Amino acid sequence: MPHKTLVLLLALSLMSCGPSPGRQPPPAATAEPHRAAPLRLAAAARPRFDDHDPHDWTGAGPRAFPVHGIDVSRWQGAIDWPRVRKAGVSFVYVKATEGMEDSDPMFGQHWTGAGRAGVTRGAYHHFYFCAPAERQARWFIANVPKSADGLPHMLDMEWNPFSPTCRVRPDAATVRSEATTFLDIVERHYGRRPVIYTTVDFARDTGITRLPGTGFWLRSVAGPPATTYPGTPWTFWQYTGTGRIDGVAGPVDINVFRGSETDWRVWDGHGLP
């Protein structure tokens, strides 16, 4: 090969390795939905859990629904996740954060253990009414990793009359506005809008269940949601706070998903049939 030709080719090769004049790096990828595969079901179909303080449900009650799950925090301590899944738990919501500086010390252990056992998981944030919603959302994002599968995360909104630092009760419009701010920020980051967990008195006082485009998780331990929250659509129903499940040492919240097993496998967080 002639010397001049070799030099020219070498120069062109070096130029191609560096940045081209005027070229910009590709834009950062936008958040994609963090569930890429069908949601998993527990090993035991239509589980029948015990309760430390059972309610006498009329009719089928929660057992009419095939998909059951739990929500946990530091108060449950260490959990044997393979036993939990075998007992019939299809999903878990794990407490990650509260306010803008508190994180649950058991979050990492629960999050990792549930994932390894094949229990579909999501994380939740307990809202604090003495801190801006934007800062709380950023704190949640700083503590909860994106995952390739799982549930839309959850925002826990309820009054906390026993808080040692914040017992204020903002007006209904402020509550709904702050909730929307939190949901919007978290949805932009993870690609899916969180569901809202709430209680009877909080829903009555704030009208939180009127927020559009949002799924709701309703606590109702002495009657079905249709009775306790008439006319309110829901995705999850927390029917006891004193459940007894193999693999969890003490009482635990148990919940049902409103849809069928087929609905569960394809649910994307945007409502049910």
Side-chain angles (χ1 to χ4, degrees):
M1 181 179 292
H3 176 70
K4 289 184 178 180
T5 302
L6 179 61
V7 170
L8 179 60
L9 289 175
L10 180 60
L12 290 172
S13 175
L14 290 173
M15 289 175 62
S16 68
C17 294
S20 300
R23 289 187 64 184
Q24 299 297 322
T30 56
E32 294 292 336
H34 71 225
R35 180 182 62 79
L39 299 179
R40 295 179 291 266
L41 283 165
R46 291 187 174 269
R48 298 174 67 89
F49 298 119
D50 291 328
D51 202 304
H52 292 274
D53 185 19
H55 176 73
D56 186 16
W57 297 100
T58 58
R63 289 175 177 168
F65 299 92
V67 182
H68 294 235
I70 59 177
D71 54 278
V72 301
S73 68
R74 71 185 78 182
W75 305 114
Q76 275 66 52
I79 293 174
D80 188 329
W81 289 102
R83 286 171 63 192
V84 165
R85 186 173 188 273
K86 185 177 180 180
V89 171
S90 289
F91 65 90
V92 61
Y93 273 87
V94 182
K95 184 176 182 179
T97 53
E98 182 169 346
M100 60 184 185
E101 58 185 18
D102 182 32
S103 58
D104 193 296
M106 291 294 292
F107 172 72
Q109 185 173 328
H110 288 330
W111 185 258
T112 301
R116 287 176 177 170
V119 179
T120 301
R121 62 194 176 174
Y124 77 88
H125 174 82
H126 190 100
F127 200 83
Y128 183 73
F129 294 99
C130 293
E134 180 177 357
R135 292 184 65 183
Q136 296 190 58
R138 300 300 178 195
W139 178 240
F140 179 81
I141 288 169
N143 283 274
V144 178
K146 289 184 178 179
S147 59
D149 58 4
L151 298 161
H153 297 309
M154 181 261 277
L155 174 60
D156 181 346
M157 300 204 79
E158 54 186 303
W159 299 130
N160 189 356
F162 306 109
S163 171
T165 57
C166 181
R167 301 182 187 182
V168 300
R169 296 192 175 201
D171 64 84
T174 298
V175 167
R176 295 195 300 271
S177 176
E178 287 288 274
T180 299
T181 296
F182 184 97
L183 298 177
D184 288 348
I185 292 171
V186 173
E187 181 180 16
R188 283 195 296 270
H189 181 78
Y190 294 102
R192 304 174 75 192
R193 195 164 188 81
V195 296
I196 286 182
Y197 167 93
T198 196
T199 61
V200 176
D201 59 336
F202 192 90
R204 180 193 62 233
D205 295 344
T206 66
I208 194 70
T209 57
R210 298 204 302 267
L211 285 183
T214 303
F216 293 99
W217 181 337
L218 305 178
R219 174 177 172 83
S220 185
V221 298
T227 301
T228 314
Y229 303 80
T232 300
W234 58 276
T235 302
F236 295 104
W237 166 23
Q238 185 183 92
Y239 64 86
T240 183
T242 55
R244 188 195 302 266
I245 291 180
D246 188 33
V248 183
V252 65
D253 297 332
I254 309 181
N255 314 270
V256 296
F257 173 74
R258 183 171 67 84
S260 66
E261 293 176 342
T262 299
D263 294 331
W264 174 249
R265 290 188 179 95
V266 301
W267 181 61
D268 62 0
H270 291 93
L272 289 166

